[in-house]
Amino acid sequence: MIQIEHLSKSFGNLRVLEDVSIHIPKRKIYGLIGHSGVGKSTLLRCINGLETFDSGNLIVDGINIKEFTETEARQFKRNIGMIFQSFSLLNRLNVYENIALPMRCWKYKENTIDKRVKELLELVEMPDKINVRPHQLSGGQKQRVAIARALAMNPKILLCDEATSALDPKIASSVIQLLTHINTELGITIVVVTHQMEVVQACCEEISILENGRVATSGDVEDVYVRQPEALVNLIGEKKLPNTTSGITIKIVLVSSNSSQPLISQMARELEIDFILLGGEIGNYRHGAIGSIFINIKEEDLLRVEDYLQNRKIQWKRLSK
Ligand code: ADP
Ligand code: MG
């Protein structure tokens, strides 16, 4: 659907994107994640044609956007919706008029606009707020209106730039659920740009981690978590664990196929070992729970634990000594 090939972009002497290649499949939710300043928004702006780039190619639906005529470029932008952290609603207009705005620009008929706005308000579950002005809405409600407006022109692609970063976790999670619903029900390809791992883990199937304008790693979100590449560790950091004076600390990575099994207690029973539980982090990914468990085992048990985990193809890493 969106093929980014060897794309590079500078602002003056500042190289912002360097040889970026990413393939975003149709109807997927794809995550672009990285620390602030790595070039995520710039890349998103290249995708929607708001920003030019110096070299490389951007092919959307089989068409190289460099080859667009002016009319094709205009049509192309119409097929892309965008939402931002700041919602970007117009305060002087009520909810209805904010959602209607793109259709007014394209001179749609009043009855078409009216029908579509009401449909969209149902979709984002806010029909009762139709006449309300943005300042009377909560952050989550504002973002729902912004999503409705972004969908007004029936886009094929929805680009989300830190769309949940200004929201508290519970509201952010409900907006992510809405995006997932839009993806599955309407078949819209969604690109989610964020600096928060929990956002991509909740909704994305595939991700690319950007570091200094380059793609540091790409792949299925679960595979990336299991591989634990340096770029991921740089992004989320290693978990702070309580100090231990003896034994060996290991990290066991759980994936959707084994996270619901009593792996650790079974291991302890079968090997007749004891361990200290130091911590854990398990989150719901799109296709199941994934996470890590940190345990401290006795040094003399290490070889047997290693054998046990290896035989069951469970990813693990020794953290201490
Ligand atoms: P991110 O979205 O990952 O935080 P951005 O794409 O916004 O990163 O910015 C990447 C780099 O490009 C930053 O160093 C930023 O200052 C710079 N930058 C972004 N837009 C412009 C611009 N229009 N002119 C000059 N520099 C810019
Ligand atoms: Mg940004």
Side-chain angles (χ1 to χ4, degrees):
M1 173 94 195
I2 306 172
Q3 271 169 282
I4 304 165
E5 293 174 350
H6 306 291
L7 189 145
S8 294
K9 157 100 192 155
S10 299
F11 287 113
N13 292 330
L14 181 71
R15 193 75 153 165
V16 178
L17 296 169
E18 177 90 52
D19 197 26
V20 171
S21 296
I22 297 172
H23 176 219
I24 301 175
K26 208 172 193 148
R27 295 170 185 267
K28 290 263 175 177
I29 304 191
Y30 197 98
L32 296 174
I33 181 164
H35 285 301
S36 178
V38 295
K40 304 181 297 295
S41 296
T42 305
L43 184 57
L44 220 52
R45 290 166 60 81
C46 289
I47 296 175
N48 73 2
L50 283 176
E51 197 76 74
T52 57
F53 43 93
D54 308 332
S55 56
N57 286 303
L58 228 160
I59 299 157
V60 181
D61 248 353
I63 302 168
N64 193 326
I65 70 165
K66 276 185 194 160
E67 287 157 14
F68 279 155
T69 61
E70 215 166 281
T71 326
E72 282 169 339
R74 220 166 106 80
Q75 189 62 36
F76 170 75
K77 283 182 190 157
R78 190 175 143 163
N79 279 328
I80 299 187
M82 186 138 181
I83 54 170
F84 307 89
Q85 178 171 354
S86 55
F87 321 122
S88 304
L89 300 176
L90 294 181
N91 268 319
R92 64 186 163 79
L93 300 180
N94 66 13
V95 165
Y96 183 102
E97 290 303 331
N98 264 288
I99 299 172
L101 205 57
M103 292 180 278
R104 294 219 192 283
C105 291
W106 283 87
K107 309 221 177 324
Y108 277 38
K109 288 200 192 87
E110 270 315 308
N111 55 353
T112 311
I113 294 177
D114 191 66
K115 187 166 166 277
R116 184 82 184 126
V117 170
K118 287 171 182 161
E119 260 171 32
L120 287 163
L121 278 170
E122 288 291 336
L123 178 73
V124 301
E125 295 174 341
M126 286 184 53
D128 52 325
K129 302 288 183 195
I130 191 160
N131 295 315
V132 162
R133 298 261 295 274
H135 73 269
Q136 295 166 290
L137 298 173
S138 69
Q141 290 170 332
K142 282 183 200 163
Q143 195 58 292
R144 283 171 183 269
V145 176
I147 290 171
R149 184 185 54 186
L151 297 178
M153 306 299 296
N154 270 317
K156 291 185 184 155
I157 302 169
L158 179 64
L159 306 177
C160 311
D161 195 351
E162 302 280 5
T164 57
S165 301
L167 307 174
D168 69 56
K170 203 168 150 210
I171 304 297
S173 158
S174 78
V175 170
I176 290 166
Q177 266 176 27
L178 174 61
L179 292 175
T180 309
H181 176 78
I182 288 166
N183 169 253
T184 47
E185 293 302 309
L186 309 180
I188 296 176
T189 308
I190 301 183
V191 184
V192 168
V193 157
T194 178
H195 65 280
Q196 295 169 305
M197 188 62 190
E198 57 273 24
V199 172
V200 297
Q201 84 186 28
C203 65
C204 297
E205 287 144 295
E206 288 182 44
I207 59 167
S208 284
I209 302 182
L210 298 184
E211 276 188 332
N212 301 320
R214 287 177 171 273
V215 176
T217 193
S218 289
D220 177 277
V221 68
E222 183 163 340
D223 292 344
V224 171
Y225 189 85
V226 172
R227 272 195 284 124
Q228 300 265 314
E230 207 181 319
L232 181 69
V233 178
N234 292 342
L235 192 68
I236 58 178
E238 278 289 10
K239 191 172 169 64
K240 291 248 180 311
L241 299 172
N243 289 331
T244 46
T245 49
S246 61
I248 291 170
T249 298
I250 64 171
K251 168 182 183 173
I252 296 172
V253 179
L254 300 176
V255 294
S256 50
S257 56
N258 63 23
S259 60
S260 57
Q261 291 161 19
L263 177 80
I264 312 288
S265 61
Q266 238 164 32
M267 177 174 82
R269 205 166 341 109
E270 283 182 34
L271 300 182
E272 295 185 339
I273 60 164
D274 287 311
F275 63 85
I276 301 167
L277 182 60
L278 296 177
E281 46 193 17
I282 298 190
N284 273 324
Y285 279 60
R286 186 142 173 187
H287 299 299
I290 311 183
S292 302
I293 288 187
F294 301 85
I295 60 172
N296 184 269
I297 56 170
K298 291 191 199 116
E299 211 159 335
E300 61 262 31
D301 294 334
L302 178 65
L303 281 178
R304 287 192 308 139
V305 168
E306 186 177 335
D307 252 15
Y308 186 93
L309 295 172
Q310 232 130 36
N311 286 339
R312 283 158 185 77
K313 298 197 167 46
I314 291 158
Q315 176 94 356
W316 68 284
K317 190 172 152 193
R318 182 175 169 163
L319 295 182
S320 65
K321 285 191 220 158

